[in-house]
Amino acid sequence: MPKKRKHTSTGASVQHLDTDHTSSSPSKHLNLSAYHPDLDLASFPASSQSLYRSLLPHSLVHPSAFPPKLLKYWRHRHSLFSLYSSGCLLDEQSWYSVTPESVAFRIAKRCATDGVIVDLFTGAGGNAIQFAMTCAKVIAVELDELKLNMAQWNAEVYGVKDRILFIHGDSLQLLDTLLTWRKQSPSISHQQDEQVWNGIKSSDLDAVHAVFLSPPWGGIDYAQPTTTDQNPDTTSTSTSYSLTSIQPVDGATLFSRVCQAFHTTNIAYYLPRNTSLQQLSHLALQLDRPCKLASSTTQNVNHNNNLKVEYQYVDHGRKLSSLTAYYGALATDWDDSTDDWRQT
Ligand code: MGP
């Protein structure tokens, strides 16, 4: 496993650009460019300029175009992307599912590595951008080409595009391919750096430190409780979000397939704040049993059965927003008392 990297943010190489309210707007009625006042499009390469222009009509930019339910996300736009005014673009689904920047930064700090981090549900790139600040390489997979292009553009706004390998494809297909590939080539050291899937090479797979999962939770109304947790100490019960609501496959199935496909227990799982803790613990127990195909997972044996759940607050700590469940070394190697990697 590649060694962990101390968090040393490279900083975004973005400077706040001159305001240019006169630049051509795709719509005279909705002055979209007014909502990106710090964007100086002319300072980007021609290909990026045309990418921005092609994405703009598919993005929700002007508040009058927002469905009323989504307006609250627009009001928090600078919490989602601090460089929003420099040109960040999101489609409707991304507005309500992108990870707020402070939360994404925190997760990236805990996943920092000199190796590779894999983001299997990249969306508009909120997490991938922050991973690019703390990890040597990010593999960002997204099924929806429009969102992937937005992620690419947003990463350019943040000046970190070059650290991210953007892949248009189905993560579940990637997992299936990896399982088959591992059956065929069980050795972890590959003589030749072969192409495994859509530009991912065997050397990338050998360097994977962790996998980040931020799948669709089931729409904007995900917070309706879907399961009942029993507390064995008090015999009380509480209603929670169930991993079965995760799309496109049940969240527990997704977790075990990731573990087997990537030969790692280092998984960070971004989930609703009311996710069933019983179900999260159950996933940790699964890791006690060596993954069926994971011949090399013995190195992680001491890390198995470990889980740390971090609750994430936004709005200056006033509002509980989400949680991240950390498994494997992401849990065991983190020292809560120093809030940093355990010194070895
Ligand atoms: P939220 O619960 O919709 O917002 O999402 P809020 O303001 O807490 O809602 P309220 O009803 O309490 O007012 C909180 C955060 O969860 C968002 O900022 C996203 O980061 C994340 N999130 C929400 N959804 C629906 C998804 C999703 O489907 N997938 C992922 N990965 N994240 C989501």
Side-chain angles (χ1 to χ4, degrees):
M1 196 204 330
K3 68 181 164 55
K4 290 182 293 290
R5 176 188 251 219
K6 275 277 189 185
H7 172 253
T8 48
S9 170
T10 54
S13 61
V14 169
Q15 25 174 326
H16 279 265
L17 306 164
D18 288 342
T19 304
D20 176 10
H21 295 276
T22 59
S23 63
S24 62
S25 163
S27 162
K28 286 200 173 84
H29 307 292
L30 304 177
N31 181 16
L32 300 183
S33 60
Y35 290 87
H36 290 148
D38 295 331
L39 171 64
D40 176 9
L41 201 54
S43 68
F44 287 84
S47 58
S48 307
Q49 293 183 28
S50 45
L51 178 62
Y52 175 78
R53 289 203 183 90
S54 69
L55 292 173
L56 207 47
H58 304 284
S59 309
L60 268 182
V61 179
H62 198 283
S64 70
F66 275 63
K69 257 181 150 176
L70 296 191
L71 266 174
K72 66 174 178 180
Y73 301 100
W74 185 80
R75 283 194 285 272
H76 292 139
R77 61 198 179 284
H78 293 109
S79 313
L80 303 180
F81 286 107
S82 61
L83 295 186
Y84 182 82
S85 298
S86 297
C88 293
L89 293 175
L90 298 100
D91 67 350
E92 181 168 328
Q93 192 185 7
S94 305
W95 272 105
Y96 64 79
S97 49
V98 70
T99 308
E101 186 166 297
S102 60
V103 175
F105 174 76
R106 170 68 183 176
I107 298 169
K109 183 179 170 186
R110 289 199 58 155
C111 295
T113 177
D114 282 337
V116 171
I117 176 114
V118 183
D119 179 354
L120 283 183
F121 301 90
T122 296
N127 290 101
I129 288 169
Q130 297 305 317
F131 285 136
M133 309 248 185
T134 65
C135 302
K137 182 168 181 178
V138 185
I139 294 179
V141 184
E142 174 55 49
L143 179 59
D144 180 343
E145 198 169 9
L146 182 67
K147 288 187 181 58
L148 190 77
N149 288 335
M150 286 177 180
Q152 225 160 330
W153 163 256
N154 292 335
E156 187 146 11
V157 169
Y158 275 76
V160 296
K161 195 182 86 169
D162 294 345
R163 295 229 189 142
I164 307 174
L165 174 61
F166 292 94
I167 298 180
H168 175 220
D170 182 351
S171 292
L172 297 183
Q173 195 190 71
L174 166 63
L175 298 177
D176 286 347
T177 305
L178 288 187
L179 286 170
T180 311
W181 177 73
R182 291 203 187 276
K183 272 187 203 152
Q184 285 162 357
S185 23
S187 157
I188 196 79
S189 305
H190 304 277
Q191 294 296 320
Q192 286 174 338
D193 197 8
E194 56 181 303
Q195 287 280 345
V196 182
W197 188 78
N198 286 3
I200 300 181
K201 296 187 202 149
S202 51
S203 58
D204 293 323
L205 295 169
D206 291 348
V208 168
H209 168 63
V211 180
F212 175 68
L213 300 175
S214 175
W217 297 347
I220 197 167
D221 296 321
Y222 71 88
Q224 304 301 323
T226 46
T227 189
T228 303
D229 272 3
Q230 301 279 347
N231 182 336
D233 302 327
T234 62
T235 65
S236 66
T237 58
S238 57
T239 45
S240 315
Y241 175 86
S242 168
L243 294 178
T244 55
S245 301
I246 287 194
Q247 294 164 354
V249 285
D250 171 276
T253 308
L254 174 68
F255 182 89
S256 61
R257 279 168 75 180
V258 166
C259 160
Q260 292 176 20
F262 283 96
H263 272 189
T264 186
T265 56
N266 300 344
I267 295 171
Y269 213 157
Y270 183 66
L271 290 164
R273 53 192 173 243
N274 62 333
T275 301
S276 160
L277 294 180
Q278 278 182 357
Q279 291 184 352
L280 294 179
S281 309
H282 193 73
L283 296 187
L285 287 175
Q286 266 186 36
L287 297 179
D288 265 347
R289 291 175 240 119
C291 298
K292 264 195 267 166
L293 298 169
S295 54
S296 67
T297 49
T298 44
Q299 64 187 359
N300 284 333
V301 156
N302 292 335
H303 301 315
N304 289 348
N305 200 16
N306 273 290
L307 158 68
K308 276 185 186 161
V309 176
E310 204 163 80
Y311 286 90
Q312 283 122 8
Y313 290 78
V314 293
D315 195 12
H316 306 285
R318 285 190 289 255
K319 185 168 179 7
L320 175 58
S321 172
S322 52
L323 66 78
T324 303
Y326 295 97
Y327 292 90
L330 298 179
T332 54
D333 288 3
W334 190 259
D335 187 342
D336 290 319
S337 58
T338 59
D339 197 33
D340 206 340
W341 291 105
R342 213 175 284 290
Q343 301 297 322
T344 46

